[in-house]
Amino acid sequence: MFTMFEEDQKWRREYNKINFGEKSDYDEITVNRKLSETDSLNLISAKGIILKYGFPGYNLVGSEGSNKFWSIIQHCDDDLAFQKNFLILMDKEVKRNNASASNNAMLRDRVLISEGKKQIYGTQVRYNVELKKSQPFPIEDPDNVDVRRKKVGLSTLSDYLKLFNR
């Protein structure tokens, strides 16, 4: 599982380098191809892991392993049904304190955005070229977003957006 995560992060780092005009050891075509390949292979492996072992919660793989596995699921955008099923499993484990509530919130937002709906926690952002800053995708009840974020252990939305707008 850790190899899956390392490969996932390697190509995302290279993708970010290219997008921010930094030097990469790879050209854009290679990075995009490897990112897609990695996500596809990780999706297959993740399905196998869940089928064989069940939800990889803290009790099974520790907090670091569970968080890294969640990150892989977060990038399985080509299989929304799989992400939704994982979210159902994760909901149960969060209630048992066997998974991260903040990771659960981020995956929930990602699934909602993929479905064309408003997100709940404001964790999914996009870069606004005209404003030259990142902004969240539409949020349900934005006036109370920070209350919801606090309940799941997330920082305020304004602090979160600062991470993207450095």
Side-chain angles (χ1 to χ4, degrees):
M1 179 169 19
F2 291 106
T3 304
M4 293 166 59
F5 177 77
E6 294 306 321
E7 197 69 8
D8 172 270
Q9 293 300 295
K10 172 184 177 178
W11 296 110
R12 281 180 167 66
R13 279 191 301 273
E14 294 303 324
Y15 178 84
N16 286 334
K17 284 180 187 176
I18 289 170
N19 282 328
F20 289 106
E22 298 172 14
K23 185 182 178 340
S24 171
D25 292 333
Y26 308 92
D27 61 62
E28 186 173 3
I29 292 170
T30 300
V31 169
N32 287 332
R33 180 176 48 78
K34 295 299 282 182
L35 192 55
S36 180
E37 286 173 9
T38 299
D39 287 349
S40 294
L41 292 171
N42 281 349
L43 172 62
I44 293 166
S45 296
K47 286 179 176 182
I49 288 168
I50 292 171
L51 190 61
K52 185 172 182 176
Y53 301 104
F55 184 88
Y58 302 157
N59 64 345
L60 189 62
V61 294
S63 61
E64 182 182 7
S66 187
N67 291 336
K68 286 181 177 184
F69 192 83
W70 161 84
S71 182
I72 290 163
I73 303 301
Q74 189 80 337
H75 299 140
C76 290
D77 296 315
D78 288 342
D79 195 335
L80 181 58
F82 175 65
Q83 285 180 319
K84 288 172 78 170
N85 287 332
F86 185 84
L87 194 54
I88 291 167
L89 295 173
M90 193 174 194
D91 286 342
K92 294 174 187 172
E93 298 305 319
V94 167
K95 288 177 185 165
R96 295 176 52 216
N97 293 317
N98 194 35
S100 166
S102 58
N103 286 351
N104 183 273
M106 286 188 253
L107 182 57
R108 182 167 311 287
D109 277 355
R110 195 170 186 110
V111 166
L112 287 168
I113 294 302
S114 293
E115 293 177 324
K117 298 175 183 174
K118 291 182 179 181
Q119 60 182 323
I120 298 169
Y121 301 96
T123 63
Q124 303 303 298
V125 301
R126 62 182 162 207
Y127 188 74
N128 184 320
V129 177
E130 291 174 10
L131 298 176
K132 294 188 170 126
K133 67 178 187 174
S134 294
Q135 296 181 300
F137 282 89
I139 301 170
E140 186 74 37
D141 186 20
D143 293 339
N144 292 302
V145 69
D146 283 335
V147 172
R148 293 189 301 274
R149 290 176 66 87
K150 185 176 182 176
K151 285 181 183 175
V152 296
L154 293 169
S155 64
T156 64
L157 183 57
S158 63
D159 283 347
Y160 182 67
L161 291 173
K162 287 176 188 173
L163 298 172
F164 295 94
N165 293 318
R166 297 185 260 169

Coordinates of all heavy atoms in Angstrom, one line a residue, residues 8-49:
D8 N 1.7 7.4 -6.4 CA 0.6 8.4 -6.5 C 1.2 9.8 -6.3 O 1.0 10.7 -7.1 CB -0.5 8.1 -5.5 CG -1.5 9.2 -5.4 OD1 -1.4 10.1 -4.6 OD2 -2.5 9.1 -6.2
Q9 N 1.9 10.0 -5.2 CA 2.4 11.3 -4.9 C 3.6 11.7 -5.8 O 3.7 12.9 -6.1 CB 2.9 11.3 -3.4 CG 1.8 11.1 -2.4 CD 0.8 12.2 -2.5 OE1 1.1 13.4 -2.3 NE2 -0.4 11.9 -2.9
K10 N 4.4 10.8 -6.3 CA 5.5 11.2 -7.2 C 4.9 11.9 -8.4 O 5.4 13.0 -8.8 CB 6.2 9.9 -7.6 CG 7.2 10.1 -8.7 CD 7.9 8.8 -9.2 CE 8.9 9.1 -10.3 NZ 9.5 7.9 -10.8
W11 N 3.9 11.3 -9.0 CA 3.4 11.9 -10.3 C 2.6 13.2 -10.0 O 2.6 14.1 -10.8 CB 2.7 10.9 -11.1 CG 3.6 9.8 -11.5 CD1 3.7 8.5 -11.1 CD2 4.8 10.0 -12.4 NE1 4.8 7.9 -11.7 CE2 5.5 8.8 -12.5 CE3 5.3 11.1 -13.1 CZ2 6.6 8.6 -13.2 CZ3 6.4 10.9 -13.9 CH2 7.1 9.7 -13.9
R12 N 2.0 13.3 -8.8 CA 1.3 14.5 -8.5 C 2.3 15.7 -8.2 O 2.0 16.8 -8.6 CB 0.4 14.3 -7.3 CG -0.9 13.6 -7.8 CD -1.9 13.3 -6.8 NE -3.2 12.9 -7.5 CZ -3.3 11.9 -8.3 NH1 -2.3 11.0 -8.4 NH2 -4.4 11.6 -8.9
R13 N 3.4 15.3 -7.6 CA 4.5 16.4 -7.4 C 5.0 16.8 -8.8 O 5.1 18.1 -9.0 CB 5.6 15.8 -6.6 CG 5.4 15.8 -5.1 CD 6.6 15.5 -4.3 NE 7.2 14.2 -4.7 CZ 6.9 13.0 -4.1 NH1 6.0 13.0 -3.2 NH2 7.5 11.9 -4.5
E14 N 5.2 15.9 -9.7 CA 5.7 16.3 -11.0 C 4.7 17.1 -11.8 O 5.0 18.1 -12.5 CB 6.1 15.1 -11.9 CG 7.3 14.3 -11.3 CD 8.6 15.1 -11.2 OE1 8.8 16.0 -12.0 OE2 9.3 14.9 -10.2
Y15 N 3.4 16.7 -11.7 CA 2.3 17.5 -12.3 C 2.3 18.9 -11.8 O 2.1 19.9 -12.5 CB 1.0 16.8 -12.0 CG -0.2 17.4 -12.5 CD1 -0.7 17.2 -13.8 CD2 -1.0 18.3 -11.7 CE1 -1.8 17.9 -14.3 CE2 -2.1 18.9 -12.2 CZ -2.5 18.7 -13.5 OH -3.7 19.3 -14.0
N16 N 2.4 19.1 -10.4 CA 2.4 20.4 -9.9 C 3.6 21.2 -10.3 O 3.5 22.4 -10.5 CB 2.3 20.3 -8.3 CG 1.0 19.9 -7.8 OD1 0.0 20.2 -8.5 ND2 0.9 19.3 -6.7
K17 N 4.8 20.6 -10.4 CA 6.0 21.3 -10.9 C 5.7 21.9 -12.2 O 6.0 23.1 -12.5 CB 7.2 20.4 -11.0 CG 7.8 20.0 -9.7 CD 9.0 19.1 -9.9 CE 9.6 18.5 -8.7 NZ 10.7 17.5 -8.9
I18 N 5.2 21.1 -13.1 CA 4.9 21.6 -14.5 C 3.9 22.7 -14.5 O 4.1 23.7 -15.2 CB 4.5 20.4 -15.4 CG1 5.7 19.5 -15.7 CG2 3.9 20.9 -16.7 CD1 5.4 18.2 -16.3
N19 N 2.8 22.5 -13.7 CA 1.8 23.5 -13.7 C 2.2 24.9 -13.1 O 1.6 25.9 -13.4 CB 0.5 23.0 -13.0 CG -0.3 22.1 -13.9 OD1 -0.3 22.3 -15.1 ND2 -0.9 21.1 -13.3
F20 N 3.2 24.8 -12.2 CA 3.7 26.0 -11.5 C 5.0 26.5 -12.2 O 5.7 27.4 -11.6 CB 3.9 25.8 -10.0 CG 2.6 25.7 -9.3 CD1 2.1 24.5 -8.8 CD2 1.7 26.8 -9.1 CE1 0.9 24.4 -8.2 CE2 0.5 26.7 -8.5 CZ 0.1 25.5 -8.0
G21 N 5.3 26.0 -13.4 CA 6.5 26.5 -14.1 C 7.8 26.1 -13.5 O 8.8 26.7 -13.8
E22 N 7.8 25.1 -12.7 CA 9.1 24.6 -12.1 C 9.7 23.5 -13.0 O 9.0 22.9 -13.8 CB 8.8 24.1 -10.7 CG 8.3 25.1 -9.7 CD 7.9 24.5 -8.4 OE1 8.3 23.3 -8.1 OE2 7.2 25.2 -7.6
K23 N 11.0 23.3 -12.7 CA 11.7 22.2 -13.5 C 11.3 20.8 -13.1 O 11.2 20.5 -11.9 CB 13.2 22.4 -13.4 CG 14.0 21.4 -14.2 CD 15.4 21.6 -14.0 CE 16.3 20.7 -14.8 NZ 15.7 19.5 -15.4
S24 N 10.9 20.0 -14.1 CA 10.6 18.6 -13.9 C 11.6 17.8 -14.7 O 12.0 18.2 -15.7 CB 9.1 18.4 -14.3 OG 8.9 17.0 -14.3
D25 N 11.8 16.6 -14.2 CA 12.6 15.6 -15.0 C 11.9 15.0 -16.1 O 12.4 14.2 -16.9 CB 13.2 14.5 -14.1 CG 14.1 15.1 -13.1 OD1 14.8 16.1 -13.3 OD2 14.3 14.5 -12.0
Y26 N 10.6 15.3 -16.2 CA 9.7 14.7 -17.2 C 8.9 15.7 -18.0 O 8.6 16.8 -17.5 CB 8.7 13.8 -16.5 CG 9.3 12.8 -15.6 CD1 9.5 13.1 -14.2 CD2 9.8 11.5 -16.1 CE1 10.1 12.2 -13.4 CE2 10.4 10.6 -15.2 CZ 10.5 11.0 -13.9 OH 11.1 10.1 -13.0
D27 N 8.5 15.4 -19.2 CA 7.7 16.3 -20.0 C 6.3 16.2 -19.6 O 5.9 15.2 -18.9 CB 7.9 16.2 -21.5 CG 7.5 14.8 -22.0 OD1 6.4 14.4 -21.8 OD2 8.4 14.1 -22.5
E28 N 5.4 17.1 -20.0 CA 4.0 17.1 -19.6 C 3.3 15.9 -20.0 O 2.4 15.3 -19.3 CB 3.3 18.4 -20.1 CG 1.9 18.6 -19.6 CD 1.3 19.9 -20.0 OE1 2.0 20.7 -20.7 OE2 0.2 20.1 -19.6
I29 N 3.5 15.4 -21.2 CA 2.9 14.3 -21.8 C 3.2 13.0 -20.9 O 2.3 12.3 -20.6 CB 3.2 14.0 -23.3 CG1 2.6 15.2 -24.1 CG2 2.7 12.7 -23.8 CD1 3.1 15.2 -25.5
T30 N 4.4 12.9 -20.6 CA 4.9 11.7 -19.8 C 4.2 11.8 -18.4 O 3.7 10.8 -17.9 CB 6.4 11.7 -19.6 OG1 7.0 11.6 -20.9 CG2 6.8 10.5 -18.8
V31 N 4.2 12.9 -17.8 CA 3.6 13.1 -16.4 C 2.1 12.8 -16.5 O 1.6 12.0 -15.6 CB 3.9 14.5 -15.9 CG1 3.0 14.8 -14.6 CG2 5.3 14.7 -15.6
N32 N 1.4 13.3 -17.5 CA 0.0 13.0 -17.5 C -0.3 11.5 -17.8 O -1.2 11.0 -17.2 CB -0.7 13.9 -18.6 CG -0.8 15.3 -18.2 OD1 -0.9 15.6 -17.1 ND2 -0.8 16.2 -19.2
R33 N 0.5 10.9 -18.6 CA 0.3 9.5 -18.9 C 0.6 8.6 -17.7 O -0.2 7.8 -17.3 CB 1.2 9.1 -20.1 CG 1.1 7.6 -20.4 CD 2.0 7.2 -21.6 NE 3.3 7.7 -21.6 CZ 4.3 7.1 -20.9 NH1 4.1 6.0 -20.2 NH2 5.5 7.6 -21.0
K34 N 1.7 9.0 -17.0 CA 2.1 8.2 -15.8 C 1.1 8.4 -14.6 O 0.8 7.5 -13.9 CB 3.5 8.6 -15.3 CG 4.6 8.2 -16.3 CD 4.7 6.7 -16.5 CE 5.3 6.0 -15.4 NZ 5.5 4.5 -15.6
L35 N 0.6 9.6 -14.5 CA -0.4 9.9 -13.5 C -1.7 9.1 -13.8 O -2.2 8.5 -12.9 CB -0.8 11.4 -13.5 CG -1.6 12.0 -12.4 CD1 -0.9 11.7 -11.1 CD2 -1.7 13.5 -12.6
S36 N -2.1 9.0 -15.0 CA -3.3 8.3 -15.4 C -3.1 6.8 -15.2 O -3.9 6.1 -14.6 CB -3.7 8.5 -16.8 OG -4.8 7.8 -17.2
E37 N -1.9 6.3 -15.6 CA -1.6 4.9 -15.4 C -1.6 4.5 -13.9 O -2.1 3.5 -13.5 CB -0.2 4.5 -16.0 CG -0.1 4.5 -17.5 CD 1.3 4.3 -18.0 OE1 2.2 4.1 -17.2 OE2 1.5 4.4 -19.2
T38 N -0.9 5.3 -13.1 CA -0.8 5.1 -11.7 C -2.2 5.1 -11.0 O -2.5 4.2 -10.2 CB 0.1 6.2 -11.0 OG1 1.4 6.1 -11.6 CG2 0.2 6.0 -9.5
D39 N -3.0 6.0 -11.4 CA -4.4 6.1 -10.8 C -5.2 4.8 -11.2 O -5.9 4.2 -10.4 CB -5.2 7.3 -11.3 CG -4.7 8.6 -10.6 OD1 -3.9 8.5 -9.6 OD2 -5.1 9.7 -11.0
S40 N -5.0 4.4 -12.4 CA -5.7 3.1 -12.9 C -5.2 1.9 -12.2 O -6.0 1.1 -11.7 CB -5.5 2.9 -14.4 OG -6.2 4.0 -15.1
L41 N -3.9 1.8 -12.0 CA -3.4 0.6 -11.3 C -3.7 0.6 -9.8 O -4.0 -0.4 -9.2 CB -1.9 0.6 -11.5 CG -1.4 0.2 -12.9 CD1 0.1 0.4 -13.0 CD2 -1.8 -1.2 -13.3
N42 N -3.7 1.8 -9.2 CA -4.0 1.9 -7.8 C -5.5 1.6 -7.6 O -5.8 1.0 -6.6 CB -3.7 3.3 -7.3 CG -2.2 3.5 -7.0 OD1 -1.5 2.5 -7.0 ND2 -1.8 4.7 -6.8
L43 N -6.4 2.0 -8.5 CA -7.8 1.7 -8.4 C -8.0 0.1 -8.3 O -8.7 -0.4 -7.5 CB -8.6 2.3 -9.6 CG -10.0 1.9 -9.7 CD1 -10.8 2.3 -8.5 CD2 -10.6 2.5 -11.0
I44 N -7.3 -0.5 -9.2 CA -7.4 -2.0 -9.3 C -6.9 -2.6 -8.0 O -7.5 -3.5 -7.4 CB -6.6 -2.6 -10.5 CG1 -7.3 -2.2 -11.8 CG2 -6.5 -4.1 -10.4 CD1 -6.5 -2.4 -13.0
S45 N -5.7 -2.1 -7.5 CA -5.2 -2.6 -6.3 C -6.0 -2.3 -5.1 O -6.2 -3.2 -4.2 CB -3.8 -2.1 -6.1 OG -2.9 -2.5 -7.1
A46 N -6.6 -1.1 -5.0 CA -7.4 -0.7 -3.9 C -8.7 -1.6 -3.8 O -9.1 -2.0 -2.7 CB -7.8 0.8 -4.0
K47 N -9.3 -1.9 -4.9 CA -10.4 -2.8 -4.9 C -10.1 -4.1 -4.4 O -10.8 -4.7 -3.6 CB -11.0 -2.9 -6.3 CG -11.8 -1.7 -6.8 CD -12.3 -1.9 -8.2 CE -13.1 -0.7 -8.7 NZ -13.7 -0.9 -10.0
G48 N -8.9 -4.6 -4.8 CA -8.5 -5.9 -4.3 C -8.2 -5.9 -2.8 O -8.5 -6.9 -2.1
I49 N -7.6 -4.9 -2.3 CA -7.3 -4.8 -0.9 C -8.6 -4.8 -0.1 O -8.7 -5.5 0.9 CB -6.5 -3.5 -0.6 CG1 -5.0 -3.7 -1.1 CG2 -6.5 -3.2 0.9 CD1 -4.2 -2.4 -1.2

